Amino acid sequence: LALEKLGTLKEEITEVTIAFIDDDAMTELNQKFRNKARTTDVLTFPADDSYNEPSATGRPLGDIVISVDQARRQATDEKHSLATEIRYLLLHGLLHALGYNHETDQGQMNTLEIHLRQLVGLA
């Protein structure tokens, strides 16, 4: 599995910001940052690598933004709870924040995500 990035974290992750928003706000963010004029389920904004707080014992991971409206639709389509869908999206966002990208890899992120879902009881 593609666990190499998880195993090579040099610092402890000390914080991550998670925001739950509606489709209108997500559409605005998706347009601004990805030039896509539609909603999406989750956007991830990894922390800047230049973060260097001298007194810090770790580093922030970044920001994960989830559209609750889209998550609700996906949960209905997949016939599971909204809570389960939110957990899927959080895991997906965390992997993006760690540097994984399913749009450019050869399936490593998807394989890892499925494996991690199983490990934490989300499968």
Side-chain angles (χ1 to χ4, degrees), residues 22-94:
D22 64 17
D23 275 344
D24 291 339
M26 183 62 92
T27 298
E28 288 181 33
L29 288 174
N30 207 21
Q31 175 66 45
K32 180 176 180 177
F33 293 101
R34 298 179 68 225
N35 203 30
K36 296 184 180 189
R38 57 179 162 67
T39 194
T40 189
D41 51 5
V42 60
L43 288 175
T44 303
F45 302 94
D48 187 337
D49 286 339
S50 67
Y51 177 82
N52 191 14
E53 177 64 40
S55 63
T57 58
R59 70 174 183 88
L61 186 59
D63 304 325
I64 299 170
V65 183
I66 294 173
S67 168
V68 176
D69 297 332
Q70 182 65 24
R72 186 175 288 112
R73 286 190 295 275
Q74 290 173 189
T76 299
D77 290 347
E78 296 298 321
K79 297 178 179 39
H80 56 236
S81 70
L82 176 59
T84 294
E85 187 65 25
I86 295 290
R87 288 180 184 108
Y88 285 176
L89 295 174
L90 284 171
L91 176 58
H92 190 84
L94 288 168

